[in-house]
Amino acid sequence: MWPYPRILAHRGGGTLAPENTFAGLRCGMRHGFRAVEFDVMLARDGVPVLMHDPALGRTVRGSGSVFEHDAADLAHMDAGSWFGPGHAGEPVPLFGAFAAFCKAHGVWMNIEIKPAPGYELETGAAVARLTAELFADEIAAVDSARLPLLSSFSDVALAAAQANAPGLPRACLISTLDGDWERRARALGAVAIHTNHLHLTPTLAQAVKARGFGLFCYTVNDPARAAELLSWGVDAFCTDRIDLIAPDFV
Ligand code: G3P
Ligand code: MG
């Protein structure tokens, strides 16, 4: 059974605000969302920040890589201008502050561990440790519905998360479910499979559910498709179109 919210705002506010920023989160919250997916990567000093791309340039003004800058420097870079002049100067959030804000405002988190290449273990460990500190009481109480869900495409990152914060639930991000997905998920003690809805079939959805895993899809932007996926037994999904798909969509 899926104890978490069913509809999540992707990267904070989907495509309605700059991704992986407080502005995005506020936008999602204005649309009624109290559940969010976002991406986390390590800065040079090992401090996790919200970031999707290892390379600066697309969403953050600057050049080089995220891991060539300390978090304090990234926090002063402009992660909003690319979206529009009204968001100029929007900072790169520190993961610790962002997660604490979400917790304080009752926003449930799917934290995607998004390691820059070569930093898989460090990223999984750091994100899991910080999250476990923030949710120490909920972990102690085994209050699973209130715990965030850590997900990653990287098995190394998930294994590091498991080693550093075994009390936090994990999910395997797998774009296309092949013959190996169940072995990987079991090896990592994952509670759910997060998959690209474009590659999902009713048979695969049924197989995931029949084997006792939660099933989450990214990134679903069409209401008719969302309804179809839910009819297949998909438990939850994230969306960029928080203007078309409401948090209480069923
Ligand atoms: O976590 C689901 C989804 O965000 C994975 O893909 O590239 O949008 O982070 P991406
Ligand atoms: Mg993501």
Side-chain angles (χ1 to χ4, degrees):
M1 112 128 191
W2 181 264
Y4 312 118
R6 294 193 175 278
I7 322 290
L8 279 62
H10 186 226
R11 304 185 192 176
T15 44
L16 271 62
E19 66 186 53
N20 290 319
T21 65
F22 272 105
L25 177 61
R26 285 194 301 271
C27 178
M29 292 177 74
R30 275 198 305 278
H31 282 77
F33 280 80
R34 294 296 180 272
V36 66
E37 185 269 1
F38 55 87
D39 308 293
V40 184
M41 194 175 290
L42 291 191
R44 177 171 60 190
D45 51 0
V47 175
V49 298
L50 266 66
M51 188 71 64
H52 184 277
D53 302 1
L56 300 181
R58 182 177 66 87
T59 63
V60 179
R61 284 203 167 175
S63 58
S65 305
V66 171
F67 46 88
E68 291 168 347
H69 300 273
D70 288 345
D73 302 329
L74 290 165
H76 287 101
M77 291 185 183
D78 179 354
S81 282
W82 71 276
F83 190 85
H87 290 289
E90 181 68 33
V92 174
L94 301 181
F95 166 63
F98 195 89
F101 182 94
C102 285
K103 188 180 183 205
H105 290 82
V107 178
W108 183 78
M109 292 176 274
N110 169 205
I111 301 166
E112 184 186 344
I113 305 169
K114 194 75 131 181
Y119 295 84
E120 288 82 3
L121 195 150
E122 295 89 333
T123 310
V127 173
R129 265 194 242 115
L130 258 176
T131 308
E133 279 169 27
L134 187 60
F135 284 87
D137 292 345
E138 289 80 2
I139 291 173
V142 201
D143 191 353
S144 51
R146 292 177 61 201
L147 290 174
L149 181 57
L150 304 178
S151 61
S152 188
F153 288 103
S154 165
D155 288 5
V156 173
L158 286 174
Q162 182 177 24
N164 282 273
L168 286 175
R170 292 166 301 284
C172 287
L173 265 161
I174 302 173
S175 172
T176 304
L177 298 178
D178 55 19
D180 203 29
W181 67 265
E182 186 179 2
R183 184 200 60 75
R184 285 169 63 191
R186 295 213 185 278
L188 292 161
V191 299
I193 302 296
H194 290 203
T195 195
N196 187 334
H197 77 94
L198 296 173
H199 308 143
L200 191 66
T201 64
T203 307
L204 281 170
Q206 200 180 22
V208 172
K209 295 304 302 170
R211 287 168 172 80
F213 294 95
L215 179 57
F216 177 99
C217 282
Y218 63 90
T219 299
V220 186
N221 297 328
D222 173 55
R225 177 62 170 167
E228 180 177 45
L229 291 166
L230 293 176
S231 79
W232 292 355
V234 167
D235 292 303
F237 63 85
C238 60
T239 182
D240 282 328
R241 293 305 304 269
I242 61 174
D243 52 338
L244 296 181
I245 300 177
D248 60 354
F249 182 91
V250 281

